[in-house]
Amino acid sequence: MMRDFKTHTLDVPGAVLHYEVREAVEESGKPVLLLVGSPMGAAGFVALAERLPERTIVTYDPRGVGESRKTGEPGEKSTPEQHADDLHRIIDELGGGPVDLFGSSGGAVNALELVSRHPEQVRTLVAHEPPAAQVLPDREQALAAIKGIGRTYERDGFGPAMAQFITVVGLKGEIPADFADQPAPDPAMFGLPAEDDGSRDDALLGQNLISCTHHEHDFAALRAASTRIVIAVGAESEGEMACRGGLGVAERIGVEPVTFPSNHGGFLDDTFGMPGDPDGFAVKLREVLEG
């Protein structure tokens, strides 16, 4: 049986945020646990939340995603600094913390930025596969490839750009220097539309792709933070950009990465995207949070 949850909204600069609170089945005395992604919203964390009944769980839709609407200029990009401030304000609304926080992908980038600014709000951060292209040995190739995806999106729309994105994130090993100059893969290979519908408001490709992957983390602040930081990588993700980004972040912070079951979306079940191993993932996350 799925837990009931209460929905809340919070006005923040440039957006109205939607977040959901699932109360613990029994009082455990454990901190509130935030599950965050970017651009993945609350719906992507239902499977994981349901497997952690002993925790009060908070999930949210990042600005410009799902029920969280932007109130600024149309087409405005989102940044890790904005997302971190949004999380800071949600935690304040919850009582100020300290909370535990699991952030995956872009959510890990944003959560690391939060901890660099407000370490007192987070007891333990598990940052799962942050796509931190700036720390890769093939940094220049990676950044160029991502900028190429952005150009494809502006020129040709969602399908061709998303096909390029899927190709890049699935590559094992260094990204070729000429990736952006190679012909774009056929969107139909991935079940994507080839036609351009004219829209340019996709949360990943239009709002977060460049700012997230190009973000420069404050590693000095992260090393000095009172927060316990755990960098997680997927057992099946070896060689992929987000996994390598996680390894690079762990090295710069000075912590040993922890291997989690499955892949980049290892916490997902078959109701959202490609299923991973949510049962095994929840067991590992519980173990890590217990420390």
Side-chain angles (χ1 to χ4, degrees):
M1 183 178 296
M2 294 181 66
R3 274 189 282 178
D4 291 334
F5 59 86
K6 294 181 179 178
T7 62
H8 304 264
T9 59
L10 179 64
D11 289 336
V12 299
V16 179
L17 301 178
H18 165 98
Y19 67 97
E20 301 173 356
V21 179
R22 289 169 169 80
E23 296 290 344
V25 173
E26 293 183 5
E27 177 55 47
S28 65
K30 301 179 189 299
V32 169
L33 173 59
L34 272 67
L35 306 177
V36 305
S38 182
M40 182 178 285
F45 292 98
V46 173
L48 185 55
E50 291 305 316
R51 286 164 171 79
L52 298 165
E54 73 277 12
R55 291 285 191 135
T56 293
I57 303 283
V58 177
T59 56
Y60 92 122
D61 293 339
R63 58 172 59 215
V65 174
E67 299 296 319
S68 290
R69 58 182 177 85
K70 290 186 173 185
T71 57
E73 293 295 322
E76 182 185 38
K77 309 298 183 186
S78 299
T79 68
E81 291 84 0
Q82 286 176 320
H83 291 303
D85 188 63
D86 291 344
L87 291 168
H88 161 64
R89 291 168 188 270
I90 288 174
I91 294 169
D92 268 351
E93 197 72 7
L94 296 169
V99 302
D100 285 343
L101 200 161
F102 170 78
S104 186
S105 194
V109 170
N110 302 337
L112 287 163
E113 180 64 17
L114 168 69
V115 166
S116 73
R117 293 167 173 238
H118 301 285
E120 75 286 351
Q121 287 194 314
V122 184
R123 184 188 73 155
T124 297
L125 165 62
V126 180
H128 179 245
E129 298 204 342
Q134 294 279 14
V135 303
L136 299 179
D138 51 328
R139 170 183 178 275
E140 296 304 324
Q141 298 102 289
L143 296 175
I146 294 161
K147 287 180 179 176
I149 296 169
R151 289 194 298 271
T152 298
Y153 181 61
E154 290 302 323
R155 183 182 64 241
D156 300 325
F158 174 79
M162 184 56 76
Q164 274 189 322
F165 174 79
I166 293 169
T167 302
V168 165
V169 298
L171 282 175
K172 301 283 188 178
E174 292 196 357
I175 295 171
D178 63 346
F179 179 87
D181 299 322
Q182 296 176 7
D186 182 0
M189 292 170 53
F190 304 99
L192 296 165
E195 301 78 19
D196 183 359
D197 65 3
S199 67
R200 295 293 185 272
D201 57 357
D202 182 74
L204 170 63
L205 300 171
Q207 298 178 35
N208 294 287
L209 177 65
I210 303 296
S211 63
C212 173
T213 54
H214 286 53
H215 181 64
E216 297 203 27
H217 292 279
D218 186 343
F219 291 115
L222 291 169
R223 287 191 294 269
S226 55
T227 303
R228 173 179 169 243
I229 301 173
V230 178
I231 304 297
V233 294
E236 299 170 13
S237 304
E238 185 176 356
E240 294 175 3
M241 188 181 78
C243 177
R244 294 191 298 123
L247 296 177
V249 170
E251 181 181 5
R252 283 158 177 76
I253 297 175
V255 299
E256 285 295 320
V258 176
T259 301
F260 270 57
S262 194
N263 51 38
H264 189 62
F267 51 90
L268 300 174
D269 66 7
D270 59 6
T271 66
F272 193 101
M274 184 179 295
D277 177 14
D279 291 328
F281 203 98
V283 168
K284 187 65 177 180
L285 180 57
R286 181 181 291 112
E287 173 191 310
V288 168
L289 289 174
E290 295 302 321

